[in-house]
Amino acid sequence: MRRSHRMFDLGAARIAVRSPIESFHQQLDLVYRDYGEEDPAGFADVRVALLPGHPLRLWKRQIALWSEGSRPFEPYPVGSGLPLFEWGGNWLLAQRLNAYLLLHAGVLARNDRALILPAAPGSGKSTLTCALHLAGWRFLSDEFGVLDPDSGDLLPLLKPAALKNRSIGIIGQHPRARLGPVFHGTRKGDVAHFVPLRDSIADRHRPARPRLIIFPRFRDGAALCCTPIHTADAAMRLGLNSFNYRTLGTVGFDAVVRLARATRAFELEYGDLSAAIAHIDALFAEHA
Amino acid sequence: MKPPLSRELQLLLRALSAPLDTDITTWERLLRLARMTALHGRLAAANRDNPTLPAPVRRHLLSAERVCAFNNQMLRAELTELAALCDGSFPVLVVKGGAYALQGQRFARGRFVSDVDLLVPRDHLRAMEQGLRAAGWVPAQLDPYDERYYRDWSHETPPMRFPGRFLEVDLHHAITPVTGSLCFDPAQLFDASVLLADSPFRVLSAEDQVLHACVHCFQDGDLALRVREVVDIDGLVRAAATQDGFWKRLLERAGQLGLQLPLWYGLHFAHAWMETPLAPGALDALPGPSTLSRSLMDRLVPLAMLPHDPDHPPPAPVRVARLAMLARYHLQRMPPSMLVPHLARKAALRLRGRFTRTPAQKTESQP
């Protein structure tokens, strides 16, 4: 049984976890292999334990996430340690990283110039982020676009991307894509975790300058449609697609205004992934 | 005699009022203990200009400071809206966190509030409640039993919230449960209350604020991880003790209102944990608990109120202590002849809920 924590460096934050449950460690090994492990005695932004839901329960066993001596969520089935760790870890990070503006956005970069994909859940953000990454972009984040309000830079936060349902097949068929196990029937349907490529993990402490913002929206069968967004409108939409815009008060307002002014923004509706990628490449070449 | 504190907790409680210079590993533990007990805002306020902070710690304290600033802004916004409903026809007191903020108390810097507590005379409770409803506040949806519990047996109305806003408003007409053993006529609180400058609200007198904090801590609620209540008592006492004659007035007032026991506990634990300076002989002047109660409380209160090791679920002694303190609270709140049917009914409802509903996931609306 493993007693000490395993610490992963995600870039802008470090997360440590301990668990006596071996199947969870096997899932971690698959998804976090390329991250390497840090000294567990070092500083962790989030430190959790994944423990058996109830030690005496023999049937339909569960796994529970403990943080600071309490259990913020209902337990998951014992085999679903990784989704619980990923989801719970995100929730805890979002509570604690208010030194930054946290956008709900995929972030990618070329030559340290960043493309931001802010979007509501269900708009195809993760699929597009992973597809762009596999097409050669550096991966900074899928869930959290971490903006440092002091420097105006985006910081990588390399959580594995949680792909849902159809996206699992679409991204999984790519020869370079590496996915963790598929978890069936979670609250969000089937989920599998996409592991960012090694180069991006190695660059997890390299910030990028924001250049282009695209609000993506996938719609089955839609023709590609790209509309420019006015700076003021982009700033407001960035606020709406943020985890902590309200909490940050004037810091958040200043940050989204500065970000919108430093970038060009577009809305992109698409039904074909490769056409969207080609269009984004062209936009980026023109504006970044 | 002092109930002992671990070195970590001593550091944490000290770092709530003065900058701390320690290594990053200790800081991580302190941050976690502070989050467990909702003291991280105060930790941030006291260490704002601390030049020795390691960068990740500074980031976490900045994060706490921002969350706290937002919380405070929501509090002030709510109070501004509520002020418009005070027409001066009866006194409206702001109590607890709202009062500390409006008074600009030093210890209110970095203090989180979870709701806005108002105290109005019982005769005007309905008028105030109707005023709130007419202005758009909506009471929490309760079943008829809970509604009756609040109305008849409690000292507050069901919480109300303005749709879309963050903080709930609790209207109280007393500071002790009307069915409890410490019940007294709250008119005395209004008589001694103090008008706030530039505000239609009043606050309790300094002595009554200390007594209220002690009652709230030791008689009125779940003690689990509530060390922050003792931190409040410390802050109130330190602020008020600068006034001439404070200790004499405090002890007399405790006698008048029959609140000597909660005051004794409040001062005892504030002195033990926060090194709150007490007037010589203050504790001895109060009729304190029996030797047995005292030794039980000295064992159980630290287990229940202080944070345990954040790496582990609460160990058995902590769970037992929390349960014992909860039982004590319920017994003080109402006589057993009312308590037993009340708890039985609650348990039956919970059991029924388990069979008729699938267990609800806890909130995931806010990531």
Short mmCIF file of all heavy atoms in Angstrom, two decimals, chain B residues 5 23 57 64 75-76 101 113 121 127 129 143 173 188 195 208 212 246 253 262 335 340 358:
data_model
loop_
_atom_site.label_atom_id
_atom_site.label_comp_id
_atom_site.label_asym_id
_atom_site.label_seq_id
_atom_site.Cartn_x
_atom_site.Cartn_y
_atom_site.Cartn_z
N LEU B 5 -1.90 23.41 22.83
CA LEU B 5 -2.06 23.58 21.40
C LEU B 5 -0.82 23.02 20.72
O LEU B 5 0.28 23.16 21.23
CB LEU B 5 -2.12 25.07 21.05
CG LEU B 5 -3.42 25.84 21.19
CD1 LEU B 5 -3.20 27.25 20.71
CD2 LEU B 5 -4.53 25.19 20.40
N ASP B 23 9.22 28.29 7.09
CA ASP B 23 9.57 27.63 5.83
C ASP B 23 8.32 27.27 5.04
O ASP B 23 7.21 27.25 5.57
CB ASP B 23 10.41 26.38 6.13
CG ASP B 23 9.62 25.42 6.98
OD1 ASP B 23 9.61 25.59 8.23
OD2 ASP B 23 8.97 24.52 6.42
N VAL B 57 3.20 30.82 -1.57
CA VAL B 57 2.40 31.19 -0.40
C VAL B 57 1.78 32.57 -0.63
O VAL B 57 0.60 32.79 -0.36
CB VAL B 57 3.26 31.17 0.88
CG1 VAL B 57 2.45 31.63 2.08
CG2 VAL B 57 3.84 29.79 1.10
N ALA B 64 -6.78 34.32 -1.33
CA ALA B 64 -7.71 34.41 -0.20
C ALA B 64 -8.14 35.86 0.01
O ALA B 64 -9.32 36.14 0.28
CB ALA B 64 -7.04 33.87 1.06
N LEU B 75 -21.22 41.87 1.22
CA LEU B 75 -21.79 42.21 2.51
C LEU B 75 -22.22 43.68 2.53
O LEU B 75 -23.33 44.02 2.92
CB LEU B 75 -20.76 41.94 3.61
CG LEU B 75 -21.11 42.48 5.00
CD1 LEU B 75 -22.30 41.74 5.58
CD2 LEU B 75 -19.91 42.36 5.95
N ARG B 76 -21.33 44.55 2.06
CA ARG B 76 -21.64 45.97 2.10
C ARG B 76 -22.78 46.32 1.15
O ARG B 76 -23.63 47.15 1.45
CB ARG B 76 -20.39 46.80 1.79
CG ARG B 76 -19.46 46.82 3.01
CD ARG B 76 -18.11 47.42 2.74
NE ARG B 76 -17.23 47.18 3.87
CZ ARG B 76 -17.24 47.92 4.99
NH1 ARG B 76 -18.07 48.95 5.11
NH2 ARG B 76 -16.43 47.63 5.99
N ALA B 101 -17.79 44.64 10.43
CA ALA B 101 -17.35 45.33 9.21
C ALA B 101 -17.74 46.80 9.27
O ALA B 101 -16.92 47.68 8.99
CB ALA B 101 -17.93 44.65 7.98
N VAL B 113 -17.88 36.47 5.86
CA VAL B 113 -19.22 36.32 6.43
C VAL B 113 -20.01 35.35 5.55
O VAL B 113 -19.80 35.29 4.34
CB VAL B 113 -19.98 37.67 6.52
CG1 VAL B 113 -19.24 38.65 7.38
CG2 VAL B 113 -20.23 38.25 5.14
N PRO B 121 -36.76 44.04 17.28
CA PRO B 121 -37.66 43.66 18.37
C PRO B 121 -38.72 42.69 17.87
O PRO B 121 -39.20 42.81 16.74
CB PRO B 121 -38.29 44.99 18.79
CG PRO B 121 -37.37 46.04 18.28
CD PRO B 121 -36.77 45.49 17.04
N ALA B 127 -43.16 42.86 10.55
CA ALA B 127 -43.10 44.05 9.69
C ALA B 127 -41.81 44.05 8.88
O ALA B 127 -41.81 44.32 7.67
CB ALA B 127 -43.20 45.32 10.54
N GLU B 129 -39.93 41.47 8.15
CA GLU B 129 -39.96 40.36 7.21
C GLU B 129 -40.81 40.72 5.99
O GLU B 129 -40.43 40.46 4.85
CB GLU B 129 -40.53 39.13 7.91
CG GLU B 129 -40.32 37.85 7.15
CD GLU B 129 -40.96 36.65 7.84
OE1 GLU B 129 -41.38 36.77 9.02
OE2 GLU B 129 -41.05 35.61 7.20
N ASP B 143 -40.37 23.05 4.40
CA ASP B 143 -41.62 22.32 4.60
C ASP B 143 -42.29 22.89 5.86
O ASP B 143 -41.66 23.60 6.64
CB ASP B 143 -41.37 20.80 4.68
CG ASP B 143 -40.55 20.41 5.89
OD1 ASP B 143 -40.81 20.95 6.98
OD2 ASP B 143 -39.64 19.57 5.74
N HIS B 173 -34.91 37.84 16.54
CA HIS B 173 -35.55 38.70 17.54
C HIS B 173 -34.96 38.47 18.92
O HIS B 173 -35.36 39.07 19.90
CB HIS B 173 -37.08 38.49 17.56
CG HIS B 173 -37.48 37.08 17.86
ND1 HIS B 173 -37.50 36.57 19.13
CD2 HIS B 173 -37.85 36.07 17.05
CE1 HIS B 173 -37.88 35.31 19.09
NE2 HIS B 173 -38.09 34.98 17.83
N GLN B 188 -33.45 44.32 26.70
CA GLN B 188 -32.27 44.92 27.32
C GLN B 188 -31.15 45.17 26.31
O GLN B 188 -30.36 46.09 26.46
CB GLN B 188 -31.74 43.99 28.42
CG GLN B 188 -32.79 43.64 29.45
CD GLN B 188 -32.33 42.52 30.38
OE1 GLN B 188 -31.47 42.74 31.22
NE2 GLN B 188 -32.88 41.34 30.19
N LEU B 195 -25.97 53.58 18.19
CA LEU B 195 -26.22 53.98 16.80
C LEU B 195 -24.88 54.08 16.07
O LEU B 195 -23.89 54.56 16.62
CB LEU B 195 -26.93 55.34 16.78
CG LEU B 195 -27.42 55.80 15.40
CD1 LEU B 195 -28.50 54.89 14.86
CD2 LEU B 195 -27.92 57.24 15.47
N ASP B 208 -22.19 43.65 25.16
CA ASP B 208 -23.16 42.70 24.61
C ASP B 208 -22.61 41.98 23.38
O ASP B 208 -22.96 40.83 23.12
CB ASP B 208 -24.47 43.42 24.26
CG ASP B 208 -25.26 43.79 25.51
OD1 ASP B 208 -24.85 43.35 26.61
OD2 ASP B 208 -26.26 44.53 25.40
N HIS B 212 -22.62 38.10 23.12
CA HIS B 212 -23.28 37.46 21.98
C HIS B 212 -22.32 36.48 21.30
O HIS B 212 -22.69 35.36 20.97
CB HIS B 212 -23.76 38.52 20.99
CG HIS B 212 -24.50 37.94 19.81
ND1 HIS B 212 -24.61 38.59 18.62
CD2 HIS B 212 -25.16 36.77 19.66
CE1 HIS B 212 -25.30 37.84 17.77
NE2 HIS B 212 -25.65 36.74 18.38
N PHE B 246 -14.44 48.67 31.12
CA PHE B 246 -15.03 47.62 30.29
C PHE B 246 -15.23 46.32 31.08
O PHE B 246 -16.30 45.71 31.04
CB PHE B 246 -14.16 47.37 29.06
CG PHE B 246 -14.47 46.07 28.37
CD1 PHE B 246 -15.64 45.91 27.62
CD2 PHE B 246 -13.61 44.97 28.48
CE1 PHE B 246 -15.93 44.71 27.00
CE2 PHE B 246 -13.90 43.76 27.86
CZ PHE B 246 -15.06 43.63 27.12
N ARG B 253 -22.86 42.83 33.30
CA ARG B 253 -23.83 42.55 32.24
C ARG B 253 -24.07 41.05 32.11
O ARG B 253 -25.21 40.62 31.91
CB ARG B 253 -23.30 43.14 30.93
CG ARG B 253 -24.26 43.07 29.80
CD ARG B 253 -25.44 43.97 30.03
NE ARG B 253 -26.18 44.19 28.80
CZ ARG B 253 -27.37 44.77 28.74
NH1 ARG B 253 -27.94 45.22 29.86
NH2 ARG B 253 -27.98 44.93 27.60
N PRO B 262 -21.52 31.00 29.41
CA PRO B 262 -20.89 31.16 28.09
C PRO B 262 -19.74 32.16 28.11
O PRO B 262 -18.74 31.95 27.41
CB PRO B 262 -22.02 31.66 27.19
CG PRO B 262 -23.24 31.77 28.00
CD PRO B 262 -22.98 31.19 29.35
N PRO B 335 -35.81 21.59 25.81
CA PRO B 335 -35.88 20.51 26.80
C PRO B 335 -36.07 19.16 26.11
O PRO B 335 -36.63 19.11 25.01
CB PRO B 335 -37.10 20.87 27.64
CG PRO B 335 -37.87 21.85 26.83
CD PRO B 335 -36.92 22.53 25.92
N VAL B 340 -36.63 15.20 21.78
CA VAL B 340 -36.71 13.83 21.29
C VAL B 340 -37.68 13.72 20.11
O VAL B 340 -37.30 13.21 19.06
CB VAL B 340 -37.06 12.87 22.45
CG1 VAL B 340 -37.38 11.48 21.91
CG2 VAL B 340 -35.89 12.82 23.44
N THR B 358 -32.91 9.44 -5.24
CA THR B 358 -31.53 8.99 -5.39
C THR B 358 -30.67 10.02 -4.68
O THR B 358 -30.99 11.19 -4.67
CB THR B 358 -31.13 8.93 -6.88
OG1 THR B 358 -31.46 10.18 -7.47
CG2 THR B 358 -31.85 7.81 -7.58
#
